[in-house]
Every structure is written in structure tokens, then in C-alpha cells.
Amino acid sequence: MLGWFPGHMNKARRQIKEALPEIDVVIEVLDARLPYSSANPMLAELTRHKPVLKILSRADLADPDRTDEWVAFFDAQDDMRALAVTTTNLRELKKIPKLCHELAGAVRADRDVRVMVMGIPNVGKSTLINGLAGRKIAKTGNEPAVTKRQQKVRIDGRVALVDTPGVLWPKIEDQASAYRLAASGAIRDTAIEYTDVAIITSAELAKRYPNALTARYKLKALPAYAPVSTDEIDADGPQKPDFLAIAGFDGHAILKEIAGKRGGLRPGGEVDLHRGAEVLLHELRDGKLGRLTLETPDDIPPPPVNDNEDSALHSDA
């Protein structure tokens, strides 16, 4: 489990909880390349009684077919809509106020629809708010957690936005999500071993987008695919399965070849894997491998079984 909960995020959680009673609609900004992993389950718990608009940001970097799947998935949920956007595309952003009004339902004619904007760090939340406002309101940056306090702004379409600091949850239980978040840059590069992230990302890309990987790095061939059932994996602890085995590809071998082709070959034939990791992760984040999505709705893990409920079911049988 990855633990990550700086003090300002704890404060932000309290501020969100205090402000929510006055809010009509919640906008949660997600990364379109990983809509499940970039959705904060803590925010979902806080906002479970509010209608939610899921904004899939960076849609220009994501696989459009997978994005359509995610939009359909979210639209099928109660009191929820989804919209895929590029946060710098003002024409796309103009659809947001109308969707907020539709989700809010009847609101007094003398006041705006009150909308709270949420999201984990580095998903484009501040860029979205600046685009909606038509001016620079929220500070943007490539580093996670740029926004440190709540900000309020009125936008066209009778909508009042409340911006919140980017909030990660105390512990990321799903390690697959942790690695995907690290690959996207939502988690600081020092939070998880950088080379490990690139090795696992290499294997995932080989499974999902082999042509993009081989074309970008001029790889002659990928290692043979050898899928392994999760039941056969020797886990290093109950919540740390071997993701390389699950992916079915030798990510270490792939990263080694990438490093060798991109300035990571040292005297004596030694390969600098860290150099390969820098190349792969930076180019993935910049969209240089093409439009890629790291997960689909089918990758959402099933909810955990409640042992007490399970026992009760067996005792009633």
C-alpha cells in the first residue's frame, strides 16, 4: 500500500466536507488515460449524495475508443454524467455549465448553480478552471498539489465554481492504480521506485499497445507473451501481487532495450535502466507514444468481500 497524505491534504479534506452542504453539483476531474485510478475513493465517499459530472481531461492524449467506453460507463450511473475534454479547448468547455444545470435540477432563479471542482493533483483541474473563467484564476504547474487552498470564481452560464486543492487519499490500496498514477505523473517520482514504475509500465504497454511501443523505440520484437493467472502468483504480501507476471511481458527486458537505444548504453555494455525509465515515462506523459489509455472499465477490481456479511450468508444457509 502506498501511503501519501501531506498535512495540507488533510486540511483540504476538512474544508471540502464543511463546504459540501451548500454545493449543488460536484465536478471531479479525472485523467482520461486512467479514469478509475485517478478517481479518489475518499472524494466519492464525501460526495455520494451529490450529483457528479466526471470531466475526463487530457482526452487528446487518451485512446478515443477507450474514452467512449468510459463516458458510457459513467453515464450509466445514477446522478452522474461524463464529458471528455481537452482542458485548453474552450469550445469543449462551454458544454460544462449546461451539464451542471441539468444535474442540479431546480435551482432558485436568483442564484447561481454552486459547483465544487475536485480532483487529485496534476489532472488538469486548474487549467480547466482557468478555461471556464476565461482568465487565469487557478495556478497551474507540472508538479502535483500546486493548488493549496479553496478558491471561488463565477463563470458564464450562472455557475459559481469552488476550486479545491488536489487531494490524494491516505493509502492507495490498489497497487495497480498506484503504478498507473506514478506513470502518469500524478504521484511524485520519488514516491515509488522510478525504475520499477517504468518496468511495469513497459509490460502494460506491451500488452495494451504493442505497435505503439515497437514503433516509437524501433524494437524488432517484444518478448513472448506469457499470461499468468493471479491465483498462480507468489505475492509479496497479501496486497502486492506480481504485476509483471499479470501483464505477461518481461518489462525489464523491454526497458533494457529502450535504454540501450536512447543513450543508456554505458562502457562495457552495461545498460542504464534509469535512463530508459526517464525516456519512457517522460514520453508517455508528453503523448509521444500516441493516444494511449492505461485501463478500461473491465480493469475495475470487484468490491472487497465483507467477511461479516459473508459469514452471515453462510450461517443463514
Side-chain angles (χ1 to χ4, degrees), residues 28 47 73 83 129 132 212 229 274-275:
E28 184 174 16
T47 63
F73 172 80
L83 178 67
I129 290 172
L132 288 170
S229 166
H274 192 272
R275 169 60 184 167

Side-chain angles (χ1 to χ4, degrees), residues 61 63 201-202 204-219 222 254 258 262 280 283-284 287-294:
L61 298 178
D63 182 330
T201 302
S202 296
E204 280 290 306
L205 290 174
K207 180 174 70 172
R208 298 176 190 272
Y209 297 99
N211 293 338
L213 195 63
T214 54
R216 179 66 188 175
Y217 300 111
K218 297 180 173 57
L219 308 179
L222 294 172
I254 296 170
I258 291 172
R262 289 295 193 88
L280 177 67
E283 294 194 348
L284 174 68
K288 292 182 179 178
L289 280 84
R291 299 179 68 175
L292 312 178
T293 298
L294 300 179

Side-chain angles (χ1 to χ4, degrees), residues 222-266:
L222 294 172
Y225 178 66
V228 177
S229 166
T230 54
D231 295 334
E232 301 171 11
I233 292 170
D234 233 351
D236 182 14
Q239 293 180 325
K240 193 178 180 183
D242 184 344
F243 294 114
L244 289 178
I246 294 172
F249 283 99
D250 185 348
H252 185 278
I254 296 170
L255 188 63
K256 186 176 180 180
E257 191 169 352
I258 291 172
K261 290 178 176 289
R262 289 295 193 88
L265 193 60
R266 300 288 180 255

